[in-house]
Amino acid sequence: MENKIKINKRGEKFINFMKKYGYYIVAGMLVIAITLTVVLTTTGKSTTKNQEIKVENIPAEPVNAYALTFDLPLTDCTVAKAHVTSRLVYNETLGWFETHSGLDLVSATSSDVLSAAEGTVTEIYANDLEGTVVVIKHNDVYTTKYGSLDGNLSVKLGDKVQKGQKIGTTSTSAKNESMTGAHLHFELYRDNSNVNPADYLNIETK
């Protein structure tokens, strides 16, 4: 009986204690919880911010490590025949319709054919249709091809050439375009695929 009375008294003391101080205890716990939340959130943002800074400090790869600028391979030139691969165009010399994979350039003031960019002469050959041809590889991406040249060239196989360096002169050696007269048949390749040289040259095509 005495034990039961003692237990009841303890219960009454606890209830009275909670009534008196319970509000402060709950308020204190809420303050601690809010403080922990703010600290953890701030730490997380700080860590994320530091990670972002580290990522931004990593040097970015160039957008195009092989970008080149090309000069005109024939000074004061105009386009005698445009690059057309999406449809057939009439070839007056051969008398039939065909695609045209390059630009036919003519000039009234100069016959010197110039390298459009720095590179290495990788091919030299001649045949009746294309005439004398020089191929220059500029890097792992771009290659240029110069056709209808005179046989007396200014370069040889394996030569390193600079932009604007003379490689030959225009002529009528390309029999498939002889009615065009003395001209340069100029082709451009990117990743071994034929592209329109007019997109890379400062030249007006009409």
Side-chain angles (χ1 to χ4, degrees):
M1 187 69 175
E2 291 180 359
N3 290 337
K4 187 174 181 181
I5 293 171
K6 289 181 180 179
I7 292 172
N8 288 337
K9 287 182 178 180
R10 290 177 182 174
E12 288 177 3
K13 287 182 179 180
F14 177 75
I15 292 171
N16 291 332
F17 176 81
M18 290 302 296
K19 284 181 179 180
K20 188 175 182 178
Y21 300 104
Y23 171 79
Y24 299 103
I25 293 172
V26 173
M29 292 177 67
L30 286 174
V31 170
I32 293 172
I34 292 171
T35 303
L36 287 173
T37 302
V38 172
V39 170
L40 291 174
T41 303
T42 305
T43 303
K45 288 183 178 179
S46 177
T47 303
T48 302
K49 186 176 181 181
N50 289 337
Q51 289 175 345
E52 289 176 353
I53 292 173
K54 289 180 181 179
V55 171
E56 290 174 356
N57 287 338
I58 297 174
E61 288 294 325
V63 174
N64 186 354
Y66 300 103
L68 281 180
T69 56
F70 295 93
D71 284 352
L72 289 173
L74 189 63
T75 58
D76 299 324
C77 62
T78 57
V79 178
K81 192 172 183 179
H83 175 278
V84 181
T85 57
S86 58
R87 58 185 174 84
L88 299 177
V89 291
Y90 187 68
N91 185 320
E92 294 182 357
T93 301
L94 300 177
W96 64 45
F97 287 87
E98 62 182 6
T99 58
H100 192 244
S101 58
L103 289 179
D104 287 347
L105 303 175
V106 295
S107 173
T109 61
S110 178
S111 61
D112 289 347
V113 175
L114 314 173
S115 178
E118 178 182 348
T120 302
V121 178
T122 56
E123 288 185 70
I124 294 177
Y125 64 88
N127 58 50
D128 289 338
L129 290 179
E130 297 178 278
T132 300
V133 176
V134 172
V135 177
I136 297 176
K137 189 173 180 62
H138 301 287
N139 52 28
D140 292 335
V141 176
Y142 293 103
T143 302
T144 50
K145 179 178 176 180
Y146 309 76
S148 195
L149 301 178
D150 183 81
N152 186 23
L153 298 173
S154 302
V155 294
K156 63 183 183 299
L157 191 65
D159 278 359
K160 304 287 186 182
V161 295
Q162 301 300 313
K163 179 188 289 188
Q165 180 177 331
K166 180 179 177 180
I167 60 176
T169 56
T170 58
S171 76
T172 58
S173 63
K175 302 305 179 185
N176 63 341
E177 298 174 336
S178 59
M179 291 187 67
T180 305
H183 71 284
L184 167 65
H185 177 86
F186 180 71
E187 297 183 14
L188 177 62
Y189 293 84
R190 176 171 178 162
D191 294 324
N192 298 317
S193 295
N194 182 262
V195 295
N196 188 353
D199 294 337
Y200 296 80
L201 299 175
N202 184 21
I203 188 171
E204 292 185 5
T205 57
K206 300 180 180 179

